[in-house]
Amino acid sequence: DIQMTQSPASLSASLEEIVTITCQASQDIGNWLAWYQQKPGKSPQLLIYGATSLADGVPSRFSGSRSGTQYSLKISRLQVEDIGIYYCLQAYSAPYTFGAGTKLELK
Amino acid sequence: QVQLKETGPGLVQPTQTLSITCTVSGFSLTSYYMQWVRQTPGKGLEWMGFIRSGGSTEYNSEFKSRLSISRDTSKNQVFLKMNSLKTEDTGVYYCARAHRGPKGFDYWGQGVMVTVSS
């Protein structure tokens, strides 16, 4: 199975700050990587697909990048509504696997 | 407008079978893959399996021996059945829509909480 190592597990940041979350895949997954945001009591919401493409309706302050088997989600200017838990998901090969999540809080 | 909604029993006894229905609207099941994902306190988000637009299925081997996914396209419904439930299966179960290709799971249901307890 492909392992997705997500870091950090938690992150405290200030408004307007730049935030970066990473996922390291245990093997090549190409661009089959998506990022999700989950708020308490809600289902995950798609932010980024294909490693770098912004999902419909997602603010442009979110962006995704890839360097080999390392994937990053960047929030360029943190807003209050960005607080939540972020997950990566590889859908390159079954079983699809999620990262363990990054809990983003306001400092 | 795309909508997905899971309905299920809420409480299931250990060793019994879980049945959840995902009812969709705003799109055709014959055009998308439908995924099942669960979120448990012990393992977080776990992909369980999917049914392709053509009707074939793929399962996470973690569940393969006790999981079944099917659909009724005439009713716009996708079904999850899992037998031999354990307390560790307690969690929230989601259905989600996916395109072919690396486009992520773009729409999710609200989820249904399932508690496995006697």
Side-chain angles (χ1 to χ4, degrees), chain A residues 6-13 19-22 35-40 73 75 78 82-88 99-107:
Chain A
Q6 186 171 343
S7 62
S10 63
L11 178 54
S12 182
V19 169
T20 301
I21 299 167
T22 63
W35 291 97
Y36 298 86
Q37 176 196 64
Q38 187 176 32
K39 298 188 178 184
L73 173 71
I75 309 173
L78 186 67
D82 301 335
I83 298 314
I85 302 177
Y86 291 79
Y87 298 93
C88 61
T102 295
K103 186 173 184 179
L104 178 57
E105 299 174 320
L106 266 183
K107 191 180 290 182

Side-chain angles (χ1 to χ4, degrees), chain A residues 82-101:
Chain A
D82 301 335
I83 298 314
I85 302 177
Y86 291 79
Y87 298 93
C88 61
L89 167 66
Q90 72 80 17
Y92 177 74
S93 74
Y96 300 164
T97 43
F98 288 88

